Amino acid sequence: MHKKNANLSDRIYIDSNSGYFANMIYIRRLKDFITRPLLEDGSFLKEKTQKKISAESGNSSSVFSHGSRNGKKRVSLVFDAVDDMDGIGSILYTLKNNNISSTFFINGEAMRQNPNAVKEIVNSGHQCGSLFFTTWNLNDTSYRIDDNFIKQGLARNEDNFYSLTGAELSLIWHTPHYISSSLIINAGKNAGYIFISPDVRVADWLSSDDKFTVPSLYKSSADLIEDIADAVQTGSIIPVRIGRTLSNRGDYLYYNLQLLIDVLTEMGYEITDVKTLMGS
């Protein structure tokens, strides 16, 4: 639940999804594309937040790759809604049936194409982060990527999400395909966001067409689950892409979500959302 107040230049809201403190007060400065804790100018809050991330995850305050390796045996499943939302009904049903709270990263194109599906994710109570406002490959030299482009893209996605759902995105994000650079990460940090870079990588977006061009990378969903089981550790973040790719794949990982959950559960892991990993 988010409590909000707004004028033409600012939006103030209370959010319990930050992962650090309950009911944190945020201010969204609409003119310069920055979202910050309202009390961030207080050195205590800023220092405590940075130390929390660094001590528990071993990451800098601008990137979060995994939770504590020494804490409770938890992992996080995150779902990336890039554009197509095929399978979202089944995903939400499976998560509810297993009493799992998860994290969804939502791109602007997914919101434009599937507004009702995005609302359903929010209504189901899952944490929502930003997957930027466009599906562009930010490694493509055809586009001029700078600090302002990243900040405006995050702000646009945040505001569109608020307009659509009446809720606020958590201040966590990643780019399409998890592409990163110091420019991208620092620009997000300047906008108030932490970049999520999973320690478990899952090539579930490769299609059957790619089986012949990159045969060593293409794997069936059953093989992907085996790889996840081999790579997972306490605190791991495991990404699952939602929807069909442009070229046909046939057996998408999200179709076998229950099997993935069963394997992780049998290994003794509790499955939760990113905010829980960040706050544990």
PDB file of all heavy atoms in Angstrom, residues 206-236:
ATOM      1  N   LEU A 206      16.845 -17.554 -25.545  1.00  0.00           N
ATOM      2  CA  LEU A 206      17.329 -18.102 -26.813  1.00  0.00           C
ATOM      3  C   LEU A 206      16.272 -19.014 -27.428  1.00  0.00           C
ATOM      4  O   LEU A 206      15.665 -19.825 -26.740  1.00  0.00           O
ATOM      5  CB  LEU A 206      18.621 -18.889 -26.587  1.00  0.00           C
ATOM      6  CG  LEU A 206      19.868 -18.055 -26.270  1.00  0.00           C
ATOM      7  CD1 LEU A 206      21.027 -18.958 -25.901  1.00  0.00           C
ATOM      8  CD2 LEU A 206      20.234 -17.171 -27.457  1.00  0.00           C
ATOM      9  N   SER A 207      16.073 -18.896 -28.720  1.00  0.00           N
ATOM     10  CA  SER A 207      15.010 -19.650 -29.394  1.00  0.00           C
ATOM     11  C   SER A 207      15.564 -20.891 -30.072  1.00  0.00           C
ATOM     12  O   SER A 207      16.777 -21.126 -30.125  1.00  0.00           O
ATOM     13  CB  SER A 207      14.346 -18.758 -30.448  1.00  0.00           C
ATOM     14  OG  SER A 207      15.215 -18.588 -31.557  1.00  0.00           O
ATOM     15  N   SER A 208      14.650 -21.683 -30.637  1.00  0.00           N
ATOM     16  CA  SER A 208      15.073 -22.878 -31.367  1.00  0.00           C
ATOM     17  C   SER A 208      15.888 -22.501 -32.600  1.00  0.00           C
ATOM     18  O   SER A 208      16.718 -23.283 -33.066  1.00  0.00           O
ATOM     19  CB  SER A 208      13.849 -23.699 -31.766  1.00  0.00           C
ATOM     20  OG  SER A 208      12.931 -22.900 -32.489  1.00  0.00           O
ATOM     21  N   ASP A 209      15.680 -21.313 -33.147  1.00  0.00           N
ATOM     22  CA  ASP A 209      16.493 -20.853 -34.270  1.00  0.00           C
ATOM     23  C   ASP A 209      17.955 -20.691 -33.856  1.00  0.00           C
ATOM     24  O   ASP A 209      18.869 -20.918 -34.640  1.00  0.00           O
ATOM     25  CB  ASP A 209      15.969 -19.521 -34.810  1.00  0.00           C
ATOM     26  CG  ASP A 209      14.558 -19.636 -35.355  1.00  0.00           C
ATOM     27  OD1 ASP A 209      14.175 -20.750 -35.777  1.00  0.00           O
ATOM     28  OD2 ASP A 209      13.841 -18.627 -35.343  1.00  0.00           O
ATOM     29  N   ASP A 210      18.161 -20.269 -32.593  1.00  0.00           N
ATOM     30  CA  ASP A 210      19.516 -20.063 -32.102  1.00  0.00           C
ATOM     31  C   ASP A 210      20.232 -21.384 -31.815  1.00  0.00           C
ATOM     32  O   ASP A 210      21.442 -21.398 -31.601  1.00  0.00           O
ATOM     33  CB  ASP A 210      19.487 -19.224 -30.812  1.00  0.00           C
ATOM     34  CG  ASP A 210      18.867 -17.854 -31.034  1.00  0.00           C
ATOM     35  OD1 ASP A 210      19.246 -17.202 -32.012  1.00  0.00           O
ATOM     36  OD2 ASP A 210      18.000 -17.462 -30.232  1.00  0.00           O
ATOM     37  N   LYS A 211      19.471 -22.475 -31.794  1.00  0.00           N
ATOM     38  CA  LYS A 211      20.052 -23.792 -31.508  1.00  0.00           C
ATOM     39  C   LYS A 211      21.164 -24.123 -32.503  1.00  0.00           C
ATOM     40  O   LYS A 211      22.131 -24.812 -32.178  1.00  0.00           O
ATOM     41  CB  LYS A 211      18.957 -24.845 -31.574  1.00  0.00           C
ATOM     42  CG  LYS A 211      19.415 -26.249 -31.192  1.00  0.00           C
ATOM     43  CD  LYS A 211      18.326 -27.271 -31.453  1.00  0.00           C
ATOM     44  CE  LYS A 211      17.056 -26.963 -30.688  1.00  0.00           C
ATOM     45  NZ  LYS A 211      16.025 -28.022 -30.873  1.00  0.00           N
ATOM     46  N   PHE A 212      21.035 -23.597 -33.727  1.00  0.00           N
ATOM     47  CA  PHE A 212      22.001 -23.922 -34.769  1.00  0.00           C
ATOM     48  C   PHE A 212      23.135 -22.904 -34.835  1.00  0.00           C
ATOM     49  O   PHE A 212      24.250 -23.240 -35.213  1.00  0.00           O
ATOM     50  CB  PHE A 212      21.277 -24.014 -36.115  1.00  0.00           C
ATOM     51  CG  PHE A 212      20.116 -24.971 -36.086  1.00  0.00           C
ATOM     52  CD1 PHE A 212      18.809 -24.511 -36.002  1.00  0.00           C
ATOM     53  CD2 PHE A 212      20.338 -26.339 -36.113  1.00  0.00           C
ATOM     54  CE1 PHE A 212      17.740 -25.392 -35.967  1.00  0.00           C
ATOM     55  CE2 PHE A 212      19.267 -27.233 -36.071  1.00  0.00           C
ATOM     56  CZ  PHE A 212      17.976 -26.759 -35.994  1.00  0.00           C
ATOM     57  N   THR A 213      22.870 -21.660 -34.460  1.00  0.00           N
ATOM     58  CA  THR A 213      23.913 -20.632 -34.507  1.00  0.00           C
ATOM     59  C   THR A 213      24.756 -20.609 -33.241  1.00  0.00           C
ATOM     60  O   THR A 213      25.952 -20.333 -33.287  1.00  0.00           O
ATOM     61  CB  THR A 213      23.290 -19.248 -34.744  1.00  0.00           C
ATOM     62  OG1 THR A 213      22.317 -18.989 -33.723  1.00  0.00           O
ATOM     63  CG2 THR A 213      22.623 -19.179 -36.107  1.00  0.00           C
ATOM     64  N   VAL A 214      24.123 -20.877 -32.087  1.00  0.00           N
ATOM     65  CA  VAL A 214      24.864 -20.939 -30.816  1.00  0.00           C
ATOM     66  C   VAL A 214      24.443 -22.195 -30.059  1.00  0.00           C
ATOM     67  O   VAL A 214      23.827 -22.118 -28.992  1.00  0.00           O
ATOM     68  CB  VAL A 214      24.632 -19.669 -29.961  1.00  0.00           C
ATOM     69  CG1 VAL A 214      25.441 -18.508 -30.472  1.00  0.00           C
ATOM     70  CG2 VAL A 214      23.142 -19.301 -29.897  1.00  0.00           C
ATOM     71  N   PRO A 215      24.782 -23.370 -30.587  1.00  0.00           N
ATOM     72  CA  PRO A 215      24.297 -24.625 -29.994  1.00  0.00           C
ATOM     73  C   PRO A 215      24.751 -24.834 -28.562  1.00  0.00           C
ATOM     74  O   PRO A 215      24.071 -25.513 -27.789  1.00  0.00           O
ATOM     75  CB  PRO A 215      24.887 -25.701 -30.921  1.00  0.00           C
ATOM     76  CG  PRO A 215      26.040 -25.041 -31.607  1.00  0.00           C
ATOM     77  CD  PRO A 215      25.636 -23.609 -31.758  1.00  0.00           C
ATOM     78  N   SER A 216      25.864 -24.251 -28.175  1.00  0.00           N
ATOM     79  CA  SER A 216      26.356 -24.449 -26.805  1.00  0.00           C
ATOM     80  C   SER A 216      25.556 -23.638 -25.794  1.00  0.00           C
ATOM     81  O   SER A 216      25.589 -23.933 -24.601  1.00  0.00           O
ATOM     82  CB  SER A 216      27.834 -24.056 -26.712  1.00  0.00           C
ATOM     83  OG  SER A 216      28.008 -22.681 -27.009  1.00  0.00           O
ATOM     84  N   LEU A 217      24.824 -22.617 -26.263  1.00  0.00           N
ATOM     85  CA  LEU A 217      24.071 -21.747 -25.358  1.00  0.00           C
ATOM     86  C   LEU A 217      22.595 -22.119 -25.277  1.00  0.00           C
ATOM     87  O   LEU A 217      21.956 -21.932 -24.253  1.00  0.00           O
ATOM     88  CB  LEU A 217      24.209 -20.282 -25.776  1.00  0.00           C
ATOM     89  CG  LEU A 217      25.603 -19.671 -25.634  1.00  0.00           C
ATOM     90  CD1 LEU A 217      25.579 -18.214 -26.092  1.00  0.00           C
ATOM     91  CD2 LEU A 217      26.092 -19.759 -24.198  1.00  0.00           C
ATOM     92  N   TYR A 218      22.042 -22.642 -26.383  1.00  0.00           N
ATOM     93  CA  TYR A 218      20.617 -22.998 -26.361  1.00  0.00           C
ATOM     94  C   TYR A 218      20.401 -24.235 -25.501  1.00  0.00           C
ATOM     95  O   TYR A 218      21.080 -25.255 -25.660  1.00  0.00           O
ATOM     96  CB  TYR A 218      20.104 -23.268 -27.774  1.00  0.00           C
ATOM     97  CG  TYR A 218      18.677 -23.770 -27.764  1.00  0.00           C
ATOM     98  CD1 TYR A 218      17.618 -22.878 -27.728  1.00  0.00           C
ATOM     99  CD2 TYR A 218      18.395 -25.138 -27.737  1.00  0.00           C
ATOM    100  CE1 TYR A 218      16.301 -23.328 -27.689  1.00  0.00           C
ATOM    101  CE2 TYR A 218      17.091 -25.603 -27.692  1.00  0.00           C
ATOM    102  CZ  TYR A 218      16.051 -24.686 -27.668  1.00  0.00           C
ATOM    103  OH  TYR A 218      14.760 -25.135 -27.615  1.00  0.00           O
ATOM    104  N   LYS A 219      19.427 -24.152 -24.581  1.00  0.00           N
ATOM    105  CA  LYS A 219      19.099 -25.293 -23.733  1.00  0.00           C
ATOM    106  C   LYS A 219      17.592 -25.354 -23.526  1.00  0.00           C
ATOM    107  O   LYS A 219      16.916 -24.324 -23.504  1.00  0.00           O
ATOM    108  CB  LYS A 219      19.794 -25.185 -22.376  1.00  0.00           C
ATOM    109  CG  LYS A 219      21.312 -25.295 -22.475  1.00  0.00           C
ATOM    110  CD  LYS A 219      21.965 -25.365 -21.113  1.00  0.00           C
ATOM    111  CE  LYS A 219      23.474 -25.541 -21.253  1.00  0.00           C
ATOM    112  NZ  LYS A 219      24.138 -25.669 -19.937  1.00  0.00           N
ATOM    113  N   SER A 220      17.075 -26.554 -23.371  1.00  0.00           N
ATOM    114  CA  SER A 220      15.659 -26.733 -23.068  1.00  0.00           C
ATOM    115  C   SER A 220      15.393 -26.222 -21.657  1.00  0.00           C
ATOM    116  O   SER A 220      16.315 -26.019 -20.861  1.00  0.00           O
ATOM    117  CB  SER A 220      15.283 -28.208 -23.164  1.00  0.00           C
ATOM    118  OG  SER A 220      15.917 -28.939 -22.121  1.00  0.00           O
ATOM    119  N   SER A 221      14.122 -26.058 -21.329  1.00  0.00           N
ATOM    120  CA  SER A 221      13.789 -25.561 -19.986  1.00  0.00           C
ATOM    121  C   SER A 221      14.227 -26.550 -18.913  1.00  0.00           C
ATOM    122  O   SER A 221      14.658 -26.149 -17.824  1.00  0.00           O
ATOM    123  CB  SER A 221      12.289 -25.281 -19.878  1.00  0.00           C
ATOM    124  OG  SER A 221      11.539 -26.454 -20.146  1.00  0.00           O
ATOM    125  N   ALA A 222      14.153 -27.851 -19.198  1.00  0.00           N
ATOM    126  CA  ALA A 222      14.604 -28.858 -18.224  1.00  0.00           C
ATOM    127  C   ALA A 222      16.104 -28.724 -17.970  1.00  0.00           C
ATOM    128  O   ALA A 222      16.567 -28.809 -16.825  1.00  0.00           O
ATOM    129  CB  ALA A 222      14.270 -30.258 -18.722  1.00  0.00           C
ATOM    130  N   ASP A 223      16.873 -28.495 -19.056  1.00  0.00           N
ATOM    131  CA  ASP A 223      18.312 -28.306 -18.901  1.00  0.00           C
ATOM    132  C   ASP A 223      18.621 -27.013 -18.140  1.00  0.00           C
ATOM    133  O   ASP A 223      19.557 -26.957 -17.332  1.00  0.00           O
ATOM    134  CB  ASP A 223      18.997 -28.270 -20.270  1.00  0.00           C
ATOM    135  CG  ASP A 223      19.028 -29.634 -20.943  1.00  0.00           C
ATOM    136  OD1 ASP A 223      18.946 -30.645 -20.220  1.00  0.00           O
ATOM    137  OD2 ASP A 223      19.114 -29.675 -22.190  1.00  0.00           O
ATOM    138  N   LEU A 224      17.838 -25.978 -18.405  1.00  0.00           N
ATOM    139  CA  LEU A 224      18.032 -24.709 -17.702  1.00  0.00           C
ATOM    140  C   LEU A 224      17.810 -24.879 -16.202  1.00  0.00           C
ATOM    141  O   LEU A 224      18.546 -24.321 -15.382  1.00  0.00           O
ATOM    142  CB  LEU A 224      17.082 -23.643 -18.257  1.00  0.00           C
ATOM    143  CG  LEU A 224      17.385 -23.127 -19.667  1.00  0.00           C
ATOM    144  CD1 LEU A 224      16.252 -22.212 -20.140  1.00  0.00           C
ATOM    145  CD2 LEU A 224      18.708 -22.387 -19.710  1.00  0.00           C
ATOM    146  N   ILE A 225      16.805 -25.653 -15.838  1.00  0.00           N
ATOM    147  CA  ILE A 225      16.528 -25.887 -14.416  1.00  0.00           C
ATOM    148  C   ILE A 225      17.677 -26.651 -13.771  1.00  0.00           C
ATOM    149  O   ILE A 225      18.072 -26.356 -12.634  1.00  0.00           O
ATOM    150  CB  ILE A 225      15.183 -26.624 -14.251  1.00  0.00           C
ATOM    151  CG1 ILE A 225      14.027 -25.696 -14.643  1.00  0.00           C
ATOM    152  CG2 ILE A 225      15.004 -27.115 -12.812  1.00  0.00           C
ATOM    153  CD1 ILE A 225      12.666 -26.361 -14.690  1.00  0.00           C
ATOM    154  N   GLU A 226      18.251 -27.594 -14.487  1.00  0.00           N
ATOM    155  CA  GLU A 226      19.418 -28.305 -13.964  1.00  0.00           C
ATOM    156  C   GLU A 226      20.585 -27.351 -13.749  1.00  0.00           C
ATOM    157  O   GLU A 226      21.290 -27.418 -12.739  1.00  0.00           O
ATOM    158  CB  GLU A 226      19.829 -29.420 -14.934  1.00  0.00           C
ATOM    159  CG  GLU A 226      18.906 -30.623 -14.918  1.00  0.00           C
ATOM    160  CD  GLU A 226      19.460 -31.765 -15.752  1.00  0.00           C
ATOM    161  OE1 GLU A 226      20.656 -31.711 -16.128  1.00  0.00           O
ATOM    162  OE2 GLU A 226      18.690 -32.712 -16.032  1.00  0.00           O
ATOM    163  N   ASP A 227      20.804 -26.443 -14.705  1.00  0.00           N
ATOM    164  CA  ASP A 227      21.887 -25.466 -14.576  1.00  0.00           C
ATOM    165  C   ASP A 227      21.651 -24.540 -13.385  1.00  0.00           C
ATOM    166  O   ASP A 227      22.590 -24.187 -12.657  1.00  0.00           O
ATOM    167  CB  ASP A 227      22.011 -24.637 -15.854  1.00  0.00           C
ATOM    168  CG  ASP A 227      22.618 -25.432 -17.009  1.00  0.00           C
ATOM    169  OD1 ASP A 227      23.133 -26.543 -16.760  1.00  0.00           O
ATOM    170  OD2 ASP A 227      22.574 -24.926 -18.146  1.00  0.00           O
ATOM    171  N   ILE A 228      20.394 -24.127 -13.191  1.00  0.00           N
ATOM    172  CA  ILE A 228      20.063 -23.267 -12.053  1.00  0.00           C
ATOM    173  C   ILE A 228      20.365 -23.995 -10.748  1.00  0.00           C
ATOM    174  O   ILE A 228      20.953 -23.430  -9.823  1.00  0.00           O
ATOM    175  CB  ILE A 228      18.582 -22.839 -12.118  1.00  0.00           C
ATOM    176  CG1 ILE A 228      18.357 -21.879 -13.292  1.00  0.00           C
ATOM    177  CG2 ILE A 228      18.140 -22.184 -10.807  1.00  0.00           C
ATOM    178  CD1 ILE A 228      16.893 -21.615 -13.599  1.00  0.00           C
ATOM    179  N   ALA A 229      19.972 -25.267 -10.674  1.00  0.00           N
ATOM    180  CA  ALA A 229      20.224 -26.055  -9.466  1.00  0.00           C
ATOM    181  C   ALA A 229      21.715 -26.177  -9.177  1.00  0.00           C
ATOM    182  O   ALA A 229      22.146 -26.181  -8.017  1.00  0.00           O
ATOM    183  CB  ALA A 229      19.594 -27.441  -9.605  1.00  0.00           C
ATOM    184  N   ASP A 230      22.528 -26.260 -10.225  1.00  0.00           N
ATOM    185  CA  ASP A 230      23.983 -26.351 -10.053  1.00  0.00           C
ATOM    186  C   ASP A 230      24.595 -25.025  -9.598  1.00  0.00           C
ATOM    187  O   ASP A 230      25.579 -25.014  -8.849  1.00  0.00           O
ATOM    188  CB  ASP A 230      24.646 -26.783 -11.362  1.00  0.00           C
ATOM    189  CG  ASP A 230      24.377 -28.245 -11.707  1.00  0.00           C
ATOM    190  OD1 ASP A 230      24.031 -29.013 -10.783  1.00  0.00           O
ATOM    191  OD2 ASP A 230      24.491 -28.594 -12.896  1.00  0.00           O
ATOM    192  N   ALA A 231      24.016 -23.907 -10.060  1.00  0.00           N
ATOM    193  CA  ALA A 231      24.626 -22.595  -9.813  1.00  0.00           C
ATOM    194  C   ALA A 231      24.095 -21.889  -8.573  1.00  0.00           C
ATOM    195  O   ALA A 231      24.760 -21.005  -8.017  1.00  0.00           O
ATOM    196  CB  ALA A 231      24.412 -21.697 -11.033  1.00  0.00           C
ATOM    197  N   VAL A 232      22.899 -22.229  -8.115  1.00  0.00           N
ATOM    198  CA  VAL A 232      22.238 -21.466  -7.054  1.00  0.00           C
ATOM    199  C   VAL A 232      22.997 -21.566  -5.735  1.00  0.00           C
ATOM    200  O   VAL A 232      23.595 -22.597  -5.414  1.00  0.00           O
ATOM    201  CB  VAL A 232      20.773 -21.944  -6.886  1.00  0.00           C
ATOM    202  CG1 VAL A 232      20.713 -23.352  -6.301  1.00  0.00           C
ATOM    203  CG2 VAL A 232      19.975 -20.962  -6.046  1.00  0.00           C
ATOM    204  N   GLN A 233      22.974 -20.452  -4.981  1.00  0.00           N
ATOM    205  CA  GLN A 233      23.548 -20.385  -3.642  1.00  0.00           C
ATOM    206  C   GLN A 233      22.580 -19.601  -2.753  1.00  0.00           C
ATOM    207  O   GLN A 233      21.657 -18.944  -3.248  1.00  0.00           O
ATOM    208  CB  GLN A 233      24.885 -19.649  -3.651  1.00  0.00           C
ATOM    209  CG  GLN A 233      25.938 -20.213  -4.551  1.00  0.00           C
ATOM    210  CD  GLN A 233      27.210 -19.382  -4.501  1.00  0.00           C
ATOM    211  OE1 GLN A 233      27.844 -19.238  -3.456  1.00  0.00           O
ATOM    212  NE2 GLN A 233      27.576 -18.812  -5.638  1.00  0.00           N
ATOM    213  N   THR A 234      22.807 -19.650  -1.461  1.00  0.00           N
ATOM    214  CA  THR A 234      22.015 -18.820  -0.561  1.00  0.00           C
ATOM    215  C   THR A 234      22.158 -17.362  -0.970  1.00  0.00           C
ATOM    216  O   THR A 234      23.259 -16.859  -1.171  1.00  0.00           O
ATOM    217  CB  THR A 234      22.484 -19.008   0.889  1.00  0.00           C
ATOM    218  OG1 THR A 234      22.269 -20.361   1.278  1.00  0.00           O
ATOM    219  CG2 THR A 234      21.717 -18.087   1.834  1.00  0.00           C
ATOM    220  N   GLY A 235      21.021 -16.680  -1.121  1.00  0.00           N
ATOM    221  CA  GLY A 235      21.022 -15.273  -1.518  1.00  0.00           C
ATOM    222  C   GLY A 235      20.927 -15.040  -3.008  1.00  0.00           C
ATOM    223  O   GLY A 235      20.863 -13.886  -3.444  1.00  0.00           O
ATOM    224  N   SER A 236      20.915 -16.099  -3.820  1.00  0.00           N
ATOM    225  CA  SER A 236      20.927 -15.937  -5.274  1.00  0.00           C
ATOM    226  C   SER A 236      19.668 -15.272  -5.813  1.00  0.00           C
ATOM    227  O   SER A 236      18.573 -15.397  -5.248  1.00  0.00           O
ATOM    228  CB  SER A 236      21.090 -17.302  -5.967  1.00  0.00           C
ATOM    229  OG  SER A 236      22.414 -17.743  -5.936  1.00  0.00           O
TER     230      SER A 236
END
